[in-house]
Structure formats: structure tokens, C-alpha cells
Amino acid sequence: MAEKTILRALKGEVLPTPPIWMMRQAGRYLPEYKATRAQAGDFLSLCYNPDLAAEVTLQPIRRYGFDAAILFADILLLPQALGADLWFVTGEGPRLSTITQQSEFDALKPASEVHETLSPIYETVKILKRELPAETTLIGFAGAPWTVATYMIAGRGTKDQGPAHALKAENRALFEAILERLTEGTIEYLSKQIEAGAEVVKLFDSWAGSLKGEDFDRYALAPAKRIIAELKARHPGIPVIAFPREAGEKYVGFAKATGADCVALDNSVAPEWAAANVQVDGCVQGNLASSHMVTGGEALVRETREIVQAFSKGPHIFNLGHGITPDADPENVQLMIDTVRGGA
Ligand code: CP3
């Protein structure tokens, strides 16, 4: 069988039609997701139930035939596996026990012990490996250390990552120790996902954009570089997608500096600019605004075509610039796919 389209794009091949998948493609905009989530009880029970997590991963593949499936899990399972308490408040988001003192850090588990908690996730990967269509690529993922640390330090999502920036200013040794533990844990976690059958892994640094100047290099770029180098040493040839969201001009050279095979772009960067400045180094992924999945219509079609056109001279994986939101209309997802594949 011919090699999967996503893997070809990640090797730098320019395809006539870009392969497509969508961040948060398994999610609350789909009625079938809501039904399975209700069956599981709550979000974390769904993540840790391999049969149901595999089921929701497969739902958008059945409905739309995306070129990739992304493992259903969450970036906050790693801090939980390191010993932090984690729960989700409906309508508000995640809550964690905070880490702002050395004594709280000292109570965390070593990175080598995360697998006990995370083994159901590896089981989900194994099920998906068996059940996915032959042409569909399976993507594993983790949060990047900085982004995960912002939740661990604040105990919740924050608009400006203030508590993490404050700890960085007040107790840099502790801040760096947290990042170090997360870096080691991420290597362990992704390595086991790859052993279980993930064919690509993606590193989500959703809050990379709030790191400026030297901080960006030390806390977004350097950990990504280390994680990627270690994964490629353990699993030669494993492709990695890095997503330093809202990195702006720091997207330039990020793939080369970190060893990533592909950089995922958010929708704050213009596709023409990204083609000239980022795609010159290799594959890019992105970057339609997820709001089009709510509003649809002519604007969706026009912008989808513009993105496909702008990236048509280099390797490209079509995606949104960030996750699809629960208020999205499933019909608009179909319209986006039809437009990319030339049917609309
Ligand atoms: O993309 C996928 O379909 C794969 C699964 C996936 C989820 N979260 C499932 C999820 C992935 C890759 C993530 C990544 C993630 N999780 C990130 C990085 C990407 C990004 O969006 O910036 C972050 C920051 C998180 C942490 C997280 N998880 C938050 C802040 C929330 C609450 C916000 C919300 O939308 O409610 C979650 C919950 C979450 N993770 C949901 C899903 C489908 C919604 C949970 C539900 O069903 O109620």
C-alpha cells in the first residue's frame, strides 16, 4: 500500500491535495461524542476508558474520513500521573492542586513512574492501531513543558499565565525544576505512545506566545529540542509536529532549531508570510480560524482556498489554527473538507 498522505507530507513531499485533520476533532460539537461522554460519566473517565476513548477518536474518522486520527486524551493527564490532583469543573475547565512551593514539588513522582497512571492511554493507542482504516495516520500527543507548567502552577487555566511568570521571576530554580520534571515525563509518555503504535507525535505549546525573547528560547524552544532529540534517538524516524502557538516571528527557524518535522501554525499569522518564512524549512500545518466552523458560508470557502493556495508550493497539512469549539456546526466541517479536497 502507498505510504499514508500525512507521513508523506511530513517527509517534505508536496501533494496535489493537502492531507487534512482538525484539532479537537473528537469533541463536543459532535452529538455522538456527547453521547459517549455521557456514557463514560465525565471527561476524565472517558480519557481513562480505552474502549470509549478509542470510540470517540474513531467518530470523526467515520463521519468525515480525516487523514489522521488524534489519540483522545488530554495534556493534563501527565501532571496527574506525576501526582497532582486533577479535576474538571463543567463549564469552567480544569483544576489542579497547585505547585508553588519546593515541598509540593518534592512530593511529585519521578518521571519513570508516570506509566502506572497512563497505561490506559497506551491501551487506547493499541486499540486504535487495530481499528483505524489503513490510510489513516495515528497521532499521539503531549503538552509542552511550559504550557503544562502554567496549569500546574496556577491550578487552572489563566488568560495571561500570570502565576507561572511570577514563579519564574520569584523562584527560578523551582520553576526550572518543574519544567525539567515535565520534560522528562513528556519523553517517557510520548515514547510509550510510540511503542504502542502512534505514528506521529505532536507537542502542544498552547501558551508559547506569552514567552518573550530569551524566555521563549529557554522555556519553549529548548525543551522541545530536547524532547524531540530524545524521541528520535529512541525511535529513529518518528515524525514530530511542534505547535508553539502564537509564537509570531519566533515561528521562523523553529523547526530547524528544534528538529521538528512540521510546525503547526495558529491563525494569527498570514499564510503568505508563513509560506515565505516558515514553510521554506519544511512541512507546515494549519491554519484556518476555528471561528469559521461556527459561521460557515462563503467566508469559510474563500479562506480555506486562500490557505490551500498559499501553501501549495511546499509540504502542507491542512488544519485549523486552534481547536474546534463546542458551538461549531458539523456541516461546516464537511464544507471545509470538501473545499480542501476540491468538491466545493
Ligand atoms: O484534539 C483532539 O481531539 C484530541 C484530544 C485533546 C483534548 N485536549 C481533548 C479535550 C487534545 C489534543 C487536547 C489538548 C489540550 N488540552 C490542550 C492543548 C491544545 C489547546 O487547545 O490549546 C490544552 C490547553 C488542554 C487542557 C484542557 N483540556 C482544557 C483547558 C480543557 C477545558 C476547555 C474546554 O474546552 O472545556 C480541556 C478539556 C478537554 N480536552 C475537552 C476535550 C474534548 C472538553 C472536555 C469535555 O468533553 O467536556
Side-chain angles (χ1 to χ4, degrees):
M1 204 196 90
E3 196 178 11
K4 301 178 185 187
T5 50
I6 298 251
L7 300 177
R8 288 167 64 189
L10 287 168
K11 283 183 180 161
E13 198 176 322
V14 185
L15 299 165
T17 300
I20 178 168
W21 68 280
M22 190 173 70
M23 281 186 268
R24 291 274 171 105
Q25 64 191 21
R28 287 163 293 182
Y29 73 104
L30 287 180
E32 59 268 37
Y33 170 84
K34 283 191 262 192
T36 309
R37 187 180 178 285
Q39 195 187 333
D42 57 57
F43 173 65
L44 283 176
S45 306
L46 178 54
C47 290
Y48 288 115
N49 181 321
D51 290 320
L52 296 183
E55 166 59 24
V56 293
T57 307
L58 291 165
Q59 285 169 350
I61 307 304
R62 286 189 205 116
R63 187 190 265 255
Y64 298 115
F66 283 117
D67 294 289
I70 184 160
L71 164 69
F72 190 84
D74 198 83
I75 66 165
L76 300 178
L77 304 185
L78 180 64
Q80 187 178 36
L82 287 168
D85 292 330
L86 171 68
W87 66 104
F88 280 81
V89 180
T90 309
E92 289 187 34
R95 294 286 183 276
L96 297 96
S97 48
T98 58
I99 311 261
T100 55
Q101 309 288 332
Q102 185 67 40
S103 57
E104 291 159 343
F105 176 79
D106 292 340
L108 292 178
K109 294 181 199 169
S112 57
E113 285 176 24
V114 297
H115 304 306
E116 202 183 319
T117 303
L118 296 171
S119 61
I121 311 305
Y122 313 140
E123 192 53 39
T124 307
V125 174
K126 287 181 193 157
I127 296 171
L128 288 168
K129 198 65 199 154
R130 286 199 306 269
E131 309 248 318
L132 276 170
E135 65 276 14
T136 313
T137 302
L138 177 57
I139 303 175
F141 74 94
W146 159 250
T147 286
V148 177
T150 66
Y151 290 91
M152 283 181 92
I153 294 164
R156 58 191 300 160
T158 50
K159 286 221 181 315
D160 59 359
Q161 297 73 58
H165 284 290
L167 188 68
K168 169 161 59 68
E170 287 154 16
N171 189 346
R172 194 169 288 252
L174 177 58
F175 172 80
E176 291 188 348
I178 296 170
L179 255 68
E180 172 65 27
R181 183 65 54 86
L182 286 169
T183 300
E184 293 163 4
T186 302
I187 291 166
E188 290 300 314
Y189 183 34
L190 288 177
S191 213
K192 278 279 196 272
Q193 291 182 28
I194 296 163
E195 282 166 29
E199 298 165 283
V200 175
V201 292
K202 179 170 175 185
L203 207 49
F204 284 88
D205 211 348
S206 305
W207 300 118
S210 85
L211 291 167
K212 303 296 175 198
E214 203 175 294
D215 275 355
F216 182 91
D217 298 340
R218 288 168 75 169
Y219 305 128
L221 196 153
K225 181 179 177 182
R226 221 178 107 204
I227 292 163
I228 293 168
E230 184 61 30
L231 290 176
K232 286 182 181 274
R234 292 189 194 183
H235 313 279
I238 185 76
V240 182
I241 303 172
F243 184 32
R245 192 170 75 87
E246 293 192 351
E249 63 188 23
K250 293 278 195 183
Y251 274 124
V252 180
F254 194 84
K256 267 191 181 161
T258 58
D261 301 86
C262 175
V263 174
L265 303 162
D266 68 81
N267 51 278
S268 72
V269 297
E272 299 73 23
W273 176 87
N277 294 285
V278 186
Q279 198 187 28
V280 286
D281 292 334
C283 189
V284 293
Q285 179 180 283
N287 70 341
L288 185 69
S290 49
S291 57
H292 285 298
M293 298 302 101
V294 181
T295 52
E298 258 310 298
L300 181 163
V301 172
R302 192 182 346 107
E303 243 188 84
T304 299
R305 285 185 182 145
E306 280 169 13
I307 290 166
V308 170
Q309 182 59 36
F311 292 124
S312 63
K313 293 187 179 61
H316 177 217
I317 297 167
F318 195 93
N319 205 310
L320 301 177
H322 200 191
I324 188 170
T325 52
D327 54 344
D329 181 345
E331 297 278 334
N332 291 332
V333 176
Q334 190 63 57
L335 181 58
M336 170 182 72
I337 295 170
D338 291 346
T339 305
V340 170
R341 292 182 174 162

